[in-house]
Amino acid sequence: MSKPRISVNKLGEYLTATPSRRKRIIEDQQQPKTFVAARYSDAREEIVEYLSTGMSDDSEILSAAKRLRIQNGGSEFVEHDRQASASAIEDFLEASGDLDLESLVVEAGQSTSSHTMEVAGVEISMRPDAVLKDPESGQVVGCVKLHFSKTSPLTPQAAEYVATAMRVYLESGESSSAIDHSKCYVVDVPTQRVVSAPKAFKRKMNDIEAACEEIDARWKNKV
């Protein structure tokens, strides 16, 4: 039997979902669809590049969205994904004003050494899309986590759970003392909503642990 696992964004949704939706989330995590993971890759790449340049010039990212809209070729899925990525870029730009990255260095999330965190026997895939660093010390102070799904957007409460988990994940690293909860951002792109991790987080982590205990039990019982 495979180890129970879930992405941090899906965990946030799970914590605020109906019982039937929670069951479906676990089923989807047990039998993941490869193409789902590949969605919005163009948008993700362009947004992270935009963040790394300090969000000072919108022209290049808007040009990227335009190119995606007119580009031809590939399967129906690829074509649809390009259109969805173009829309996601435009939605992100509407939300970007709520991100305070002034004086911070932005790096793609792949530069972090580990991407998972285990809670109550469940392996949570964290994968920050961008990490935020202090320019003088080089220490990680926060991150940006993107969520793209239009069919399952994150509610403000769900986004707070994701941001809290990201904060705890970052605090388990080498720069634990440098983490600023207000710089642990979750961007729900379709709703153009930006949420930061709350200062008080123990209750939310208790909820996350309880949810993971439930996921672990249902996973072993095959839901």
PDB file of all heavy atoms in Angstrom, residues 8 165 176:
ATOM      1  N   VAL A   8      -0.492  20.304  -0.597  1.00  0.00           N
ATOM      2  CA  VAL A   8      -0.898  21.260   0.437  1.00  0.00           C
ATOM      3  C   VAL A   8      -2.137  22.041   0.013  1.00  0.00           C
ATOM      4  O   VAL A   8      -2.990  22.355   0.855  1.00  0.00           O
ATOM      5  CB  VAL A   8       0.275  22.201   0.802  1.00  0.00           C
ATOM      6  CG1 VAL A   8       0.622  23.141  -0.340  1.00  0.00           C
ATOM      7  CG2 VAL A   8      -0.045  22.979   2.078  1.00  0.00           C
ATOM      8  N   ALA A 165       0.396  26.040   6.790  1.00  0.00           N
ATOM      9  CA  ALA A 165       1.239  24.866   6.534  1.00  0.00           C
ATOM     10  C   ALA A 165       2.557  25.270   5.876  1.00  0.00           C
ATOM     11  O   ALA A 165       3.623  24.744   6.222  1.00  0.00           O
ATOM     12  CB  ALA A 165       0.489  23.862   5.659  1.00  0.00           C
ATOM     13  N   SER A 176      14.730  29.079  10.048  1.00  0.00           N
ATOM     14  CA  SER A 176      13.497  29.027  10.839  1.00  0.00           C
ATOM     15  C   SER A 176      13.205  30.329  11.580  1.00  0.00           C
ATOM     16  O   SER A 176      12.065  30.789  11.613  1.00  0.00           O
ATOM     17  CB  SER A 176      13.556  27.867  11.831  1.00  0.00           C
ATOM     18  OG  SER A 176      14.690  28.007  12.682  1.00  0.00           O
TER      19      SER A 176
END
